[in-house]
Amino acid sequence: MAGTGEIDEGFYSRQLYVLGHDAMHRMGTANVLIAGMRGLGVEIAKNVILSGVKSVTIQDEGQAVWSDLSSQFYLKESHLGQNRATCSLKQLAALNPNVHVSAHTGPLDLYLLLQFQVVVLTDSSLDDQKRFGELCHSHRIKFIVTDTKGLCGQLFCDFGEEFEVLDKDGEMPASAMVERITKENPGFVVCTDDQKHGLSDGSKVVFSEVQGMTELNSMGPVEVKVCGQYSFTICDTSAFSEYKRGGIVTEVKQPILLNFKPLSDALLDHELLTMIDFGKISRHNTLHLAFQALHSFVKRERRLPHSWSQSDADSLLAIVRELNAVAKLDELDEAAVRNLSYTARGDLAPMNAFFGGLAAQEVIKASSGKFTPLQQWLYFDALECLPEEEDHLKDGSFSSTSTRYDGQIAVFGSEFQERLGRQKYFLVGAGAIGCELLKNFALMGLGAGTEGHITVTDMDFIERSNLNRQFLFRSQDIGKPKSEVAAKAVCEMNPQMEITAHQNRLDPDSEGVYDYNFFMNLDGAAAALDNVEARVYLDRRCVEHQKPLLEGGTLGSKGHTLVVVPHLTESYGPAKSSSSNAIPLCTLKNFPHRIEHTLQWARDQFEGLFKQAPENVNLFLRDPGFVERTLASGDAEALEILQGVWSSLKDMAAGGMHPKSWEDCVSWARCKWETLFNNELRQLLHCFPPEEVTSNGLPFWSGSKRCPHPLTFDPDNSTHMDFVVAAANLYGQIYGIEGTRDSNSIREILVGVNVPSFTPKSSVKIHLTDKEMEEEKNKESDDAEKARLEELREKLSFMRSSAQMYPIDFEKDDDSNFHIDYIVAASNLRAENYDIPAADRHKSKRIAGRIIPAIATTTAAVAGLMCLELFKLIQGHKKISSYRTAYLNLAVQYFVLSLPSQPQNFEVAGKKYTLWDDFLVEGRRSDQQEMTLEDLIQYIKEKYDLNVCSLFYGTAILYNGHEERLKKCVSELVKMVTKADIPAHKKMLELIPSFAEDEDCETVPTIRYSFK
């Protein structure tokens, strides 16, 4: 947070959409102490500093040792023997210039703790936890304890006797449009059926814009009882006026008060355990005792249990049994206690990343009052990462070797560490999750040994808004390729890393780089992508080449992870259709009723006016076939496009829209304002007057159809002027005319602008549904339209020497480019037309810019879980019960960890297959002669006992009884049918067969035909 109290919106852009301005302001007053700067402490510090509290003090009395380097990413070999806090300070301070970061190398004491609103203990003794916990509880200091030991971890929160949560989940308040309200006790409310109301029993709501039953508009929050997805009851409305029409119901979020026990009391209360994996309830309860027992062991022996020591495990289990004599758990997971003892010396980067994300999120809750805190204990383990077979132990293979991987070798052994080093992995995406994964890869030593290698690709360049969560980047990196900067940063963390950075988009166009040889040389891939299409494409390539895939994503405080294991799990799968969320075109064009509609309309206006129109002009100027190709697309569409090209090129003085001066741009903007916010609304109301009724006698303007009203331009209205200033400047840009932000000079120009008069026409038809719009578009054009098209073709033939235009690509994160200025003004003016509440710039930017809310805490936790699955892949786990998919919501500490889905079976001729089953065919014999189609069909018959009756390559039919094709080589046949050469990099053809034994089978194994 900036010292002035102003929020640095450029830096915190994506996080603001998670937390909001109010919560960020409250965080900006919080001083946070984080004790312990091993791997877990530095993870928490990194996330908290990025989040934007007032100050962070890191405390540690200890010196760096070899085992710290396995998870403490700001310690280097040169720091061994030096204070961990001091060595980490410079790097942590550089993460966020808005947060004051300092180091304390002395012990914790009362005087120190009283300077903070939030205290976090890591790597601490139980005695210290109890002592400082009591102190913080009595002084109203929020107190958090967290620790990881090998593959197990714990988290504890105490936010005091009374802690107010202002927003329990961070979700947008539910809102819906009212269709009718009855006069009875209780009143029955029905909402329009275009959107579920999203309320629950006990929700409080307020009403606005209700006509008739206006008493509701002035009432305070009313409690609801849900009757259905579109209906609910409220208070007694029997004495109210009769409901007429309209109305918006909006949820009012209520604060809640929570009570916390101090740690000493909470230790005894097993009801305070939050379950994170419901398949492990007894294990979580056992771990609550096992961590206490571990403290007792360390206090007695002055050391942690030795790695994989049976005697130490026996000792720890004995202490747990003593504790259970009091706790009286029905079931002790003794195997988990032993595994905790075996691995407690481990210090693993993925575990620290996961708990670092969770603990930092609790710091944010403590300092902002946003989201529901943990109440009060949480345990998590990933013991499935250990080998599935128990005969993996070898004497001495887990002991310290004075290397940077000691903390990992203590859990998995040196042989596994060598295997990690040999891995070849492909990381797609170097954004938020990509940075976290690369950091984890470096700490784990993935691909850092002989033969090992990481390839990372990301086509994006670093922007300022990335710095808040993509922690490998600094302000001096803005404008540089993400993949290159990220690769360089993690090589500094671990100089043994072997990384190649690319700036390629992963799609069919890059298959020459990421070809058959590339994928076959990999051990696996990881997706750190922000769109479904790219995930689906990478997933398909991994299935083709039988490679495992790690996939993860975030949306604000929510996150998910998925592991795809060949022949064991389902894949990520094809993209799900999102058409159900698409806004109908007729709604956008004539009947908006939510701010999302007006923002999408404004975005469409921007794209049409400032991008598509100039792109069409440039296509026309450089492509002689443009006009004929456009005419072939249908008369209605061709008329619109060619008319746009002509008017864009024709001077304003001659009836076109081509400006010659800045004054012309202002004039165009003013006239465009009149068209969009006055004339078009007058035409709509001419066709459908306010009192219009349907054929059923019901009001036309009711339910989701809001009756609009035209606006009158007022140069003293800031929104009116915002539109003109932005529109004029953007219009100037596409013609290479320089504009200005000077409103006074623009007002002077406006005085002289002649705005054409407008009279609504009765001949205009307004479409009520998308179907009507489509039918109008596809209908046969009349003679007048055909004549107009011919006239345009003639006129355009003389205009090919015109100057090109400059299309504008929408960029949401540059506040100086007029893009968001235009969107906000246009959207809010249209919202005013339809009496829709306006949206501020912040909200408008999120919706129109399709910004994905993001925060560093969720990113860290998701990357940690992905890398735990990576351990299992490299172990070579064969049981699906060893793997986990995860869904988490850190806002409410909600976790679902479940087994991945098994691949679905399909049947062909009585035999079962899955997506992982294909028919691999070597197309060249030993004499290098390529197979003919006949040879291929015969091979499938002999090997799989199936008769190919037809064969497809993409959409092309290679064979469907064509006997004349049987003697042709398969690759030559593909070239002949597709009328195109096979790309040089392609070594494998995917052929889809149909079999005589089961012609109706919709899914069949792919024939993967190798022909090079």
Side-chain angles (χ1 to χ4, degrees):
M1 194 72 66
T4 60
E6 291 296 314
I7 296 173
D8 184 346
E9 294 199 4
F11 184 83
Y12 294 115
S13 166
R14 303 306 185 260
Q15 181 179 289
L16 272 167
Y17 293 114
V18 183
L19 299 175
H21 286 77
D22 291 344
M24 286 284 295
H25 276 298
R26 289 190 292 273
M27 283 169 56
T29 65
N31 300 300
V32 180
L33 172 68
I34 301 170
M37 275 298 110
R38 286 197 162 109
L40 178 55
V42 79
E43 281 281 358
I44 298 167
K46 177 239 319 169
N47 296 330
V48 172
I49 291 165
L50 288 171
S51 75
V53 294
K54 182 179 181 181
S55 76
V56 171
T57 299
I58 54 173
Q59 182 273 342
D60 199 318
E61 296 179 77
Q63 280 73 49
V65 295
W66 277 111
S67 60
D68 292 331
L69 271 62
S70 63
S71 68
Q72 218 286 22
F73 43 86
Y74 287 148
L75 292 181
K76 301 179 179 180
E77 291 183 23
S78 59
H79 293 141
L80 294 171
Q82 299 178 48
N83 181 274
R84 284 185 290 254
T86 304
C87 294
S88 307
L89 179 61
K90 183 180 177 182
Q91 294 270 42
L92 286 169
L95 287 170
N96 189 344
N98 303 302
V99 177
H100 178 70
V101 184
S102 59
H104 181 82
T105 57
L108 298 176
D109 56 36
L110 171 61
Y111 175 74
L112 179 67
L113 266 59
L114 289 176
Q115 300 174 42
F116 301 96
Q117 288 76 49
V118 186
V119 170
V120 184
L121 298 190
T122 71
D123 194 33
S124 54
S125 69
L126 185 58
D127 289 341
D128 279 352
Q129 292 171 15
K130 289 178 178 178
R131 181 161 60 97
F132 294 125
E134 290 292 343
L135 189 153
C136 289
H137 191 86
S138 62
H139 287 85
R140 302 173 66 86
I141 299 169
K142 284 78 175 177
F143 182 62
I144 298 168
V145 173
T146 184
D147 205 359
T148 63
K149 290 289 184 279
L151 288 162
C152 302
Q154 67 172 173
L155 177 62
F156 170 79
C157 292
D158 170 15
F159 291 178
E161 299 286 344
E162 282 192 350
F163 180 76
E164 185 177 39
V165 177
L166 299 169
D167 181 352
K168 66 179 182 180
D169 56 15
E171 300 294 333
M172 291 292 292
S175 181
M177 295 189 67
V178 176
E179 189 167 276
R180 61 186 172 90
I181 308 173
T182 62
K183 279 183 65 171
E184 59 182 320
N185 186 15
F188 184 68
V189 181
V190 178
C191 301
T192 57
D193 62 4
D194 67 311
Q195 188 179 23
K196 297 169 187 173
H197 57 60
L199 300 167
S200 54
D201 284 346
S203 294
K204 298 281 186 75
V205 300
V206 291
F207 289 84
S208 60
E209 300 183 36
V210 176
Q211 296 180 37
M213 196 179 284
T214 54
E215 295 89 342
L216 284 173
N217 294 333
S218 56
M219 289 183 69
V222 182
E223 190 168 315
V224 310
K225 182 172 175 54
V226 172
C227 302
Q229 293 179 334
Y230 304 98
S231 60
F232 55 87
T233 58
I234 53 172
C235 58
D236 183 358
T237 59
S238 55
F240 291 176
S241 308
E242 198 72 39
Y243 173 79
K244 287 184 180 177
R245 68 169 75 168
I248 298 172
V249 59
T250 306
E251 180 187 16
V252 179
K253 291 206 162 186
Q254 302 295 306
I256 55 175
L257 278 179
L258 300 178
N259 173 268
F260 291 79
K261 293 183 178 182
L263 185 139
S264 297
D265 296 344
L267 272 172
L268 307 174
D269 192 345
H270 279 256
E271 296 297 315
L272 295 177
L273 267 66
T274 294
M275 288 300 140
I276 196 169
D277 186 335
F278 285 92
K280 297 180 177 179
I281 292 175
S282 67
R283 184 177 294 180
H284 290 177
N285 283 310
T286 301
L287 286 174
H288 186 60
L289 300 183
F291 266 82
Q292 295 174 59
L294 193 58
H295 285 293
S296 298
F297 182 99
V298 172
K299 191 174 182 180
R300 186 180 72 200
E301 303 291 335
R302 297 188 177 280
R303 62 171 176 83
L304 285 164
H306 290 302
S307 294
W308 298 95
S309 164
Q310 297 293 340
S311 59
D312 282 354
D314 291 341
S315 298
L316 187 66
L317 184 56
I319 302 171
V320 170
R321 286 170 177 160
E322 287 176 26
L323 290 170
N324 196 39
V326 177
K328 293 183 167 48
L329 294 182
D330 294 334
E331 184 182 351
L332 268 185
D333 189 335
E334 297 193 355
V337 177
R338 289 188 176 279
N339 281 326
L340 173 63
S341 178
Y342 295 151
T343 61
R345 284 180 176 262
D347 195 12
L348 302 177
M351 288 294 294
N352 289 331
F354 178 66
F355 273 93
L358 268 59
Q361 188 72 48
E362 296 306 306
V363 173
I364 291 171
K365 295 173 187 178
S367 53
S368 70
K370 181 99 171 187
F371 305 142
T372 304
L374 171 67
Q375 290 186 282
Q376 287 184 256
W377 291 101
L378 179 146
Y379 289 89
F380 170 77
D381 76 89
L383 293 171
E384 304 84 14
C385 293
L386 295 173
E388 290 174 330
E389 308 303 325
E390 293 190 8
D391 60 352
H392 66 288
L393 297 177
K394 290 184 180 176
D395 291 339
S397 63
F398 298 89
S399 58
S400 173
T401 55
S402 295
T403 72
R404 63 178 306 113
Y405 307 118
D406 277 1
Q408 196 161 265
I409 290 171
V411 176
F412 297 113
S414 53
E415 185 183 318
F416 178 78
Q417 188 60 50
E418 290 171 10
R419 201 184 316 162
L420 264 170
R422 291 193 297 270
Q423 296 294 302
K424 295 180 179 67
Y425 256 75
F426 184 29
L427 173 61
V428 186
I433 293 178
C435 282
E436 290 287 339
L437 286 175
L438 279 173
K439 173 257 296 175
N440 293 345
F441 291 172
L443 295 169
M444 295 160 64
L446 184 77
T450 53
E451 303 173 31
H453 196 266
I454 305 290
T455 303
V456 57
T457 189
D458 193 310
M459 59 178 288
D460 287 342
F461 294 84
I462 298 164
E463 299 173 358
R464 189 156 185 268
S465 63
N466 301 147
L467 304 182
N468 172 240
R469 65 205 182 283
Q470 298 175 22
F471 85 107
L472 297 179
F473 308 144
R474 301 290 178 270
S475 56
Q476 61 266 29
D477 298 322
I478 292 172
K480 297 176 184 176
K482 285 185 177 181
S483 58
E484 284 185 9
V485 175
K488 183 180 176 184
V490 295
C491 284
E492 289 179 12
M493 292 178 181
N494 182 355
Q496 299 168 14
M497 291 294 286
E498 292 288 336
I499 305 183
T500 301
H502 294 167
Q503 287 87 53
N504 301 318
R505 183 197 295 273
L506 187 73
D507 61 12
D509 291 341
S510 62
E511 285 184 13
V513 179
Y514 310 118
D515 58 7
Y516 174 81
N517 287 343
F518 176 83
F519 269 91
M520 292 309 292
N521 199 36
L522 293 175
D523 292 290
L529 293 155
D530 60 2
N531 68 88
V532 171
E533 291 76 16
R535 288 185 178 110
V536 169
Y537 178 77
L538 177 58
D539 175 69
R540 182 169 66 76
R541 299 298 304 280
C542 287
V543 171
E544 275 177 34
H545 299 93
Q546 309 270 301
K547 299 298 178 183
L549 172 67
L550 295 163
E551 194 277 322
T554 69
L555 179 65
S557 62
K558 303 182 183 80
H560 78 269
T561 66
L562 176 74
V563 58
V564 176
V565 189
H567 301 286
L568 194 63
T569 73
E570 189 62 272
S571 74
Y572 182 84
K576 311 294 186 292
S577 172
S578 60
S579 58
S580 59
N581 297 324
I583 304 169
L585 291 176
C586 63
T587 299
L588 291 176
K589 190 169 176 60
N590 296 312
F591 308 113
H593 53 271
R594 298 203 310 267
I595 197 66
E596 289 84 357
H597 299 159
T598 65
L599 282 163
Q600 183 60 55
W601 174 86
R603 178 73 190 270
D604 291 347
Q605 288 286 323
F606 181 99
E607 295 291 330
L609 293 169
F610 309 122
K611 186 172 192 287
Q612 289 166 7
E615 280 181 347
N616 285 339
V617 167
N618 291 348
L619 275 171
F620 162 74
L621 293 175
R622 68 171 178 261
D623 181 359
F626 172 79
V627 173
E628 296 306 318
R629 204 168 53 252
T630 302
L631 288 168
S633 64
D635 288 355
E637 188 175 337
L639 190 59
E640 183 180 348
I641 292 172
L642 297 181
Q643 177 67 44
V645 170
W646 177 84
S647 63
S648 296
L649 292 173
K650 197 69 175 174
D651 291 350
M652 285 183 172
M657 290 293 168
H658 192 304
K660 288 296 185 185
S661 64
W662 167 239
E663 287 75 13
D664 284 350
C665 296
V666 174
S667 176
W668 175 88
R670 171 65 185 88
C671 293
K672 180 58 71 175
W673 190 103
E674 197 72 15
T675 299
L676 295 176
F677 309 114
N678 183 286
N679 299 350
E680 290 185 356
L681 281 303
R682 287 166 60 195
Q683 180 65 61
L684 180 60
L685 289 170
H686 179 78
C687 295
F688 301 105
E691 302 306 320
E692 179 86 359
V693 294
T694 66
S695 57
N696 297 325
L698 299 173
F700 177 85
W701 295 107
S702 63
S704 61
K705 286 191 176 73
R706 301 172 72 90
C707 185
H709 64 274
L711 305 181
T712 302
F713 184 76
D714 177 3
D716 293 325
N717 183 305
S718 60
T719 310
H720 295 199
M721 281 301 293
D722 286 347
F723 176 89
V724 171
V725 172
N729 275 279
L730 291 167
Y731 203 61
Q733 287 174 26
I734 63 176
Y735 286 99
I737 296 172
E738 189 173 342
T740 178
R741 282 188 179 273
D742 183 358
S743 296
N744 290 329
S745 68
I746 294 172
R747 277 194 184 87
E748 290 175 11
I749 298 170
L750 287 173
V751 172
V753 172
N754 177 38
V755 180
S757 61
F758 173 78
T759 304
K761 298 180 178 66
S762 297
S763 59
V764 171
K765 177 175 174 55
I766 289 176
H767 306 295
L768 301 182
T769 65
D770 283 9
K771 185 180 177 184
E772 285 183 15
M773 293 177 76
E774 192 62 29
E775 288 171 353
E776 178 74 19
K777 182 179 171 183
N778 294 329
K779 78 171 188 179
E780 187 71 25
S781 58
D782 58 27
D783 291 342
E785 287 172 337
K786 288 185 183 298
R788 178 65 183 142
L789 277 170
E790 195 54 44
E791 180 187 354
L792 281 168
R793 188 209 300 251
E794 179 71 17
K795 285 181 177 179
L796 287 169
S797 66
F798 298 104
M799 304 179 82
R800 291 202 174 272
S801 59
S802 305
Q804 72 162 14
M805 293 177 67
Y806 305 95
I808 298 173
D809 288 314
F810 179 68
E811 171 49 60
K812 59 189 173 289
D813 286 320
D814 179 356
D815 284 337
S816 67
N817 63 11
F818 298 101
H819 299 191
I820 290 295
D821 295 352
Y822 178 87
I823 298 288
V824 174
S827 170
N828 284 340
L829 287 167
R830 188 161 176 84
E832 187 180 348
N833 280 139
Y834 285 87
D835 293 314
I836 298 168
D840 63 18
R841 185 182 184 88
H842 184 66
K843 180 178 180 180
S844 299
K845 184 189 282 194
R846 175 180 64 81
I847 297 171
R850 299 173 189 131
I851 290 174
I852 300 172
I855 191 167
T857 49
T858 318
T859 304
V862 162
L865 290 175
M866 290 172 72
C867 289
L868 289 173
E869 298 306 303
L870 178 57
F871 280 144
K872 301 170 188 178
L873 289 172
I874 296 168
Q875 292 276 20
H877 284 358
K878 298 291 189 289
K879 300 174 184 174
I880 198 167
S881 58
S882 296
Y883 293 95
R884 293 289 184 275
T885 62
Y887 172 79
L888 53 139
N889 185 350
L890 301 190
V892 292
Q893 289 295 13
Y894 174 74
F895 303 88
V896 176
L897 277 87
S898 57
L899 303 188
S901 299
Q902 292 182 320
Q904 290 187 345
N905 289 311
F906 58 88
E907 206 169 287
V908 180
K911 189 175 179 183
K912 288 185 176 178
Y913 300 89
T914 75
L915 82 156
W916 296 105
D917 295 312
D918 54 29
F919 296 164
L920 184 61
V921 180
E922 291 291 339
R924 288 194 181 273
R925 304 186 187 91
S926 55
D927 60 1
Q928 293 297 297
Q929 280 286 98
E930 190 190 342
M931 273 186 177
T932 62
L933 176 61
E934 187 174 37
D935 294 335
L936 174 61
I937 293 171
Q938 185 62 28
Y939 178 87
I940 298 296
K941 169 66 178 169
E942 291 174 1
K943 176 129 190 205
Y944 301 102
D945 197 24
L946 290 167
N947 290 288
V948 175
C949 58
S950 54
L951 194 62
F952 301 84
Y953 178 71
T955 56
I957 301 172
L958 297 184
Y959 174 70
N960 191 14
H962 304 82
E963 289 196 17
E964 71 278 7
R965 296 181 179 180
L966 290 172
K967 300 298 182 185
K968 287 189 175 292
C969 294
V970 175
S971 62
E972 289 300 319
L973 180 58
V974 167
K975 285 192 265 188
M976 181 189 89
V977 173
T978 60
K979 297 177 181 172
D981 286 335
I982 299 169
H985 65 266
K986 212 165 185 63
K987 298 190 176 183
M988 185 87 69
L989 298 175
E990 287 186 53
L991 309 176
I992 307 299
S994 181
F995 300 111
E997 289 81 358
D998 205 340
E999 286 191 62
D1000 296 330
C1001 190
E1002 291 185 9
T1003 308
V1004 295
T1006 301
I1007 297 174
R1008 301 202 191 277
Y1009 177 82
S1010 173
F1011 67 104
K1012 286 187 180 178

